Amino acid sequence: MRHALAAVYRFRVPGYYAATATLLAVALSTFLPLGETVRQARGILSLIAVCVLALCIVLAFVAPTFLPDSSTVLVSSPVHGRWLAMNSPASKVPSHGVRAYGQTYAIDLVSEPVDEVRPTFGEGSAMRDPSEYPAFGAPVLAMCDGVVVRASDWRRDHRARSSALAVIYMMIEGAFRELSGPGFAIGNHVTVRGADGVHAMVAHLQRGSVIVRVGETVREGQQLGSCGNSGNTSEPHVHAQLMDRASPWTGIGIPMAFTGISLADAAEKVRALPQNGEHMTHTL
């Protein structure tokens, strides 16, 4: 029963998009002169789409409590240096507020070196050039040994949203990105499939920075690309997550912990994830 539920749950996001697109097409077709048979077929199609949409919404809220628990997978940090955690599963699950796109246990990391100042939110330009942030252009590393199964770096790096009004604009913009599918939300990204079948994805990479190709074997700690500001982001940062599938359309998130990191500027190395607002440091 659990496996059957997981199989249906896995396709809730494609089902949601398909149902929404169908309802939109039906709404637009009301302005067209159609025959009685076509109108009846449209009504049936609308009913099916509404049922599918309702099922997807129910699955999103109910199914996670019945899914099999996943063990925490130890991986290497996707960045080196001193980084600040945001939207961390160490503070709440799902970390980003939703489980879609396999991001139940995803984490966002923002670079905050000791000797470099990160622009303060609400000060200066409302939309800063991404190069003003220390994260922009920083190396992004493979979290595990494996094979590259997805690699994308053609999307542009937009300006940071560094004021309240700019964030509101980002939320509106993000809604349109969502309509275009997960690729436009996560931006440029690389996904590596490990030997255990776990898929490690790093996202929001810099345009043109990916230096690996699909089918290439990579080692843990190897550079995959550079931190950018592509996709649905407020400032340059690295988004990292584990999934049980390569595609964010159908992947289910897997909990993870970083090895060999120190937390809160302590010297001790631990296997963990930083909480929201906590710094982590990883040295090569």
Side-chain angles (χ1 to χ4, degrees):
M1 178 63 182
R2 285 176 176 261
H3 293 291
L5 183 61
V8 176
Y9 174 73
R10 188 180 301 283
F11 290 95
R12 74 198 182 285
V13 176
Y16 173 81
Y17 272 82
T20 302
T22 299
L23 291 174
L24 181 61
V26 167
L28 294 175
S29 69
T30 57
F31 300 101
L32 300 176
L34 303 173
E36 182 62 26
T37 302
V38 176
R39 284 198 296 270
Q40 290 178 354
R42 185 180 62 188
I44 295 173
L45 194 61
S46 298
L47 179 60
I48 294 174
V50 169
C51 291
V52 170
L53 188 61
L55 175 62
C56 292
I57 293 173
V58 170
L59 284 172
F61 286 98
V62 176
T65 60
F66 296 97
L67 297 179
D69 293 330
S70 298
S71 300
T72 299
V73 177
L74 297 177
V75 293
S76 180
S77 168
V79 292
H80 62 81
R82 184 174 181 264
W83 293 69
L84 178 71
M86 294 183 175
N87 301 317
S88 172
S91 295
K92 67 171 184 176
V93 175
S95 58
H96 286 58
V98 295
R99 298 174 184 269
Y101 307 153
Q103 59 184 341
T104 305
Y105 304 98
I107 189 171
D108 291 334
L109 299 168
V110 178
S111 179
E112 281 197 345
V114 175
D115 58 350
E116 194 171 349
V117 178
R118 170 174 158 243
T120 302
F121 182 83
E123 297 182 4
S125 174
M127 295 190 180
R128 294 177 179 270
D129 190 285
S131 62
E132 296 182 36
Y133 292 80
F136 192 72
V140 178
L141 317 173
M143 293 188 282
C144 62
D145 296 345
V147 178
V148 177
V149 292
R150 288 177 179 266
S152 166
D153 70 350
W154 59 268
R155 298 174 180 87
R156 69 181 181 87
D157 296 290
H158 57 74
R159 287 182 171 270
R161 315 311 186 198
S162 50
S163 73
L165 288 177
V167 169
I168 293 174
Y169 171 80
M170 181 192 74
M171 295 173 65
I172 298 172
E173 179 186 42
F176 286 96
R177 291 183 189 277
E178 292 287 343
L179 292 175
S180 302
F184 286 88
I186 62 181
N188 302 321
H189 60 283
V190 173
T191 302
V192 175
R193 183 183 65 234
D196 54 359
V198 173
H199 294 74
M201 183 178 77
V202 287
H204 303 315
L205 303 182
Q206 185 178 6
R207 185 177 192 176
S209 71
V210 173
I211 56 177
V212 294
R213 296 177 296 176
V214 172
E216 182 177 344
T217 300
V218 297
R219 304 290 296 178
E220 176 185 297
Q222 179 179 333
Q223 183 172 352
L224 303 176
S226 301
C227 176
N229 201 44
S230 59
N232 195 28
T233 64
S234 59
E235 67 175 272
H237 72 279
V238 175
H239 173 103
Q241 67 183 54
L242 300 184
M243 306 176 290
D244 65 349
R245 296 287 189 277
S247 173
W249 281 105
T250 57
I252 294 177
I254 296 175
M256 64 180 175
F258 296 149
T259 60
I261 63 169
S262 58
L263 298 176
D265 298 323
E268 179 186 6
K269 301 292 185 181
V270 296
R271 296 176 175 179
L273 286 181
Q275 298 182 21
N276 288 341
E278 185 176 29
H279 288 99
M280 78 167 205
T281 303
H282 177 244
T283 56
L284 294 178

